Amino acid sequence: MKVSGSGRERRERLNALREAALHRPVLARHLSDGFNGRWSRRQWVQASLFATLGMLVAAIVPGFGPGTDVRPLHVARHSMALTLPPLPLARIRGENGDSWQLVRVSRGQTLGSVFQQLDIPAATMQRILQHPGSKEVLTRLKPGTELGFDLPVQAGKAGELRTFRFDRDDSHRVELSLAGDKIVEKVIVRPTESRTVVISGEVGKSLYRSARKLGLNGGHIDTLTDEIFKYDIDFNEDVGAKDRFSVVVEQTWREGELIRTGPVLAATFTTGAKLHTGFRFERNGKPEYFTGEGRPLKKSFIRMPIPYARLTSGFGTRRHPVLGRTRMHKGVDYAAGTGTPIMAAGDARVKFVGWKGGYGRAVMLDHGRGYTTLYGHMSRFGKFKAGQRIAQGSVIGYVGSSGMSTGPHLHYEFQVNGVHRNPLSITMPPAEPLSGTALAQFRSQTRVALARIEKVEDIIYADVSPAPSKLVAAAKPARTAKNRG
């Protein structure tokens, strides 16, 4: 039997494929038992399994599949139509309330300058000032005062003020609507809240800077240094960085905003291990500061009516520079430039104002209890008149060279029951302390203030000596056999 060429070639190809399959590690042991040109069922199942595995690998492992294209997953989005609130008719028509402009008054600014800045006619301002209760407030504007102007936004109506608002006081806001020739007033009540707080801190590098950071203003700091502790603490020499202070003040809040801080009600200052205290109390309708025992912190007299002046002539016998003869010099002379302010040495009633012979322009003050002072050679007087009561430190005049004088200076005399005394050496009378009902009221107030300070300092200065818990004991007056009962 002859085999054709084509059959022979096919047989040779099958034998070659069989040999190649026998050398494969996976299939060799299954096909080594001989191959007769036809695959068994088992071989077809195994081949299908390997083909399936290959396809799975190509599909799962990146890079095996042809032209792998990874696209982001698209998330279905939904939209919802919401109805917007309609514009108010006032805004559509350009009526009242569509354009409030707020202005805070600057230092030195007047109501007229504010109206001019907004191009509002002066006649409109005069109408507002003529409205009852407006002039008293608007002619005494303080820096920071807020004013509101409702002006139209439509073209051609610039300067047409429709509503003007201002604060009559802390609790009431006034809105004035200008409708034709009429002004309609609306008063809005704005409730306020008062809080008594304690502000406490250390002096640090600067008392002023530390106190300002804590919320005290310049007036509060001046009260500490120039009124309460002026006579007991030298703030240039005695105060260190670790010294501490506490101040009690009353704050006024409105709608969550601090709008005003009142005067210092009480204060403590610790220098080293020494505690100083001061408390505000009104005596005869006038606020003063007292020690814990009820003694005034302010001395009855200041020795120098001119700060930082130079003494040129003392008290006693001397040769008069103008008359040229020896005579008694009944006062002391302080040299200063013309126009330097002269202060009243103590609380007093003005006894004399005018020209007084060789003294030139002079002022005499009656301090009560037999004490009087005289100030001579002034260039001009302060704003007061005879019979008027003035406080210690008030400016009563200005240095000059009127009368018998060789140059600008102040001649200052101090008399006790009509007898001239040396103001530089005399023992000044102590200020009159509180007594009776006033003292009892004062002590009840000081206990409350000290308790507040003590509570705050117990928290802030828990590890500092002296212990803050000793504040009340340090400020309480010593009990004597007379007042124990």
Side-chain angles (χ1 to χ4, degrees):
M1 178 178 174
K2 290 185 179 180
V3 180
S4 63
S6 60
R8 188 184 302 112
E9 291 174 357
R10 184 174 59 182
R11 184 179 294 274
E12 288 176 355
R13 285 198 303 270
L14 290 175
N15 288 333
L17 289 172
R18 182 175 179 275
E19 291 295 326
L22 289 175
H23 286 87
R24 291 178 184 173
V26 179
L27 299 177
R29 61 179 179 271
H30 299 293
L31 301 178
S32 59
D33 54 350
F35 181 72
N36 57 5
R38 307 178 79 178
W39 285 13
S40 65
R41 184 187 300 273
R42 181 178 180 182
Q43 291 170 337
W44 279 111
V45 171
Q46 290 176 344
S48 300
L49 179 62
F50 281 107
T52 304
L53 290 174
M55 292 171 59
L56 289 174
V57 170
I60 297 174
V61 180
F64 278 84
T68 303
D69 186 13
V70 180
R71 297 182 180 181
L73 180 64
H74 290 281
V75 180
R77 297 181 181 181
H78 302 278
S79 61
M80 180 181 297
L82 297 177
T83 305
L84 294 175
L87 286 174
L89 290 177
R91 188 63 180 265
I92 297 174
R93 299 173 182 174
E95 296 177 358
N96 291 19
D98 66 351
S99 180
W100 277 103
Q101 297 189 36
L102 303 182
V103 176
R104 287 197 178 272
V105 178
S106 305
R107 185 175 299 276
Q109 197 172 23
T110 63
L111 184 67
S113 61
V114 175
F115 271 67
Q116 185 177 8
Q117 175 184 334
L118 297 175
D119 294 328
I120 302 175
T124 303
M125 182 186 71
Q126 293 301 324
R127 286 182 59 196
I128 292 174
L129 290 176
Q130 291 172 4
H131 185 76
S134 300
K135 188 173 183 179
E136 293 79 1
V137 178
L138 297 176
T139 54
R140 294 194 297 268
L141 296 176
K142 296 180 180 180
T145 300
E146 183 182 280
L147 303 176
F149 300 83
D150 180 20
L151 298 167
V153 294
Q154 294 177 331
K157 292 188 177 182
E160 184 182 323
L161 179 63
R162 297 174 303 198
T163 307
F164 173 69
R165 77 183 186 200
F166 62 94
D167 291 335
R168 178 177 294 168
D169 50 45
D170 292 339
S171 304
H172 298 88
R173 168 167 287 176
V174 178
E175 288 191 359
L176 301 179
S177 298
L178 284 69
D181 296 332
K182 295 175 59 179
I183 294 182
V184 180
E185 178 181 290
K186 178 182 178 181
V187 179
I188 303 172
V189 178
R190 308 176 72 192
T192 60
E193 177 188 0
S194 296
R195 307 174 189 172
T196 301
V197 299
V198 178
I199 298 175
S200 186
E202 289 188 344
V203 173
K205 293 182 180 180
S206 167
L207 171 62
Y208 186 86
R209 187 180 306 166
S210 299
R212 290 288 287 175
K213 285 183 178 180
L214 292 171
L216 296 176
N217 58 39
H220 295 138
I221 302 170
D222 290 342
T223 298
L224 293 180
T225 58
D226 298 343
E227 291 188 56
I228 301 179
F229 303 119
K230 173 182 180 180
Y231 302 98
D232 299 314
I233 301 175
D234 185 341
F235 284 92
N236 293 321
E237 302 291 339
D238 298 341
V239 177
K242 292 296 183 181
D243 291 338
R244 60 184 186 269
F245 60 91
S246 293
V247 178
V248 179
V249 294
E250 187 174 87
Q251 296 178 339
T252 302
W253 291 76
R254 182 182 62 208
E255 299 172 359
E257 178 186 4
L258 176 64
I259 60 174
R260 189 179 66 254
T261 301
V264 176
L265 302 178
T268 64
F269 210 109
T270 304
T271 56
K274 189 173 183 180
L275 174 69
H276 304 273
T277 60
F279 306 90
R280 191 176 191 266
F281 184 76
E282 287 193 7
R283 177 164 61 174
N284 300 325
K286 179 183 176 183
E288 299 181 51
Y289 288 94
F290 298 84
T291 65
E293 295 82 7
R295 296 188 177 277
L297 286 167
K298 184 181 71 174
K299 306 304 181 185
S300 56
F301 290 93
I302 54 178
R303 293 190 182 275
M304 293 180 61
I306 303 178
Y308 315 113
R310 178 171 59 90
L311 181 69
T312 56
S313 183
F315 182 86
T317 304
R318 68 160 190 177
R319 183 180 180 85
H320 196 279
V322 176
L323 300 177
R325 61 175 183 264
T326 301
R327 59 186 294 182
M328 181 67 179
H329 189 223
K330 299 179 180 180
V332 293
D333 292 343
Y334 293 105
T338 300
T340 302
I342 302 169
M343 299 179 295
D347 296 341
R349 179 180 59 83
V350 180
K351 186 177 181 179
F352 173 85
V353 181
W355 190 274
K356 190 174 178 64
Y359 293 110
R361 295 183 183 86
V363 172
M364 292 184 66
L365 302 180
D366 182 359
H367 304 277
R369 295 185 289 173
Y371 293 91
T372 59
T373 54
L374 180 144
Y375 312 79
H377 305 308
M378 293 182 179
S379 60
R380 58 191 177 96
F381 302 114
K383 297 179 179 179
F384 60 91
K385 56 185 178 180
Q388 182 177 339
R389 296 202 66 86
I390 59 175
Q392 183 184 80
S394 300
V395 176
I396 58 174
Y398 300 86
V399 170
S401 187
S402 59
M404 287 194 296
S405 171
T406 58
H409 72 283
L410 167 68
H411 175 78
Y412 174 53
E413 292 184 2
F414 193 94
Q415 298 181 36
V416 181
N417 296 322
V419 179
H420 288 84
R421 306 293 294 272
N422 186 352
L424 301 181
S425 60
I426 187 175
T427 301
M428 295 295 183
E432 187 177 353
L434 295 172
S435 61
T437 304
L439 180 60
Q441 294 175 351
F442 171 78
R443 285 179 177 171
S444 65
Q445 291 183 17
T446 58
R447 279 195 295 270
V448 175
L450 278 172
R452 289 180 179 272
I453 295 175
E454 181 184 7
K455 184 176 181 180
V456 171
E457 291 202 348
D458 274 338
I459 299 173
I460 300 178
Y461 306 114
D463 301 326
V464 180
S465 180
S469 59
K470 297 180 180 179
L471 278 172
V472 176
K476 281 183 180 178
R479 298 186 65 188
T480 63
K482 185 177 180 179
N483 62 21
R484 274 195 192 104

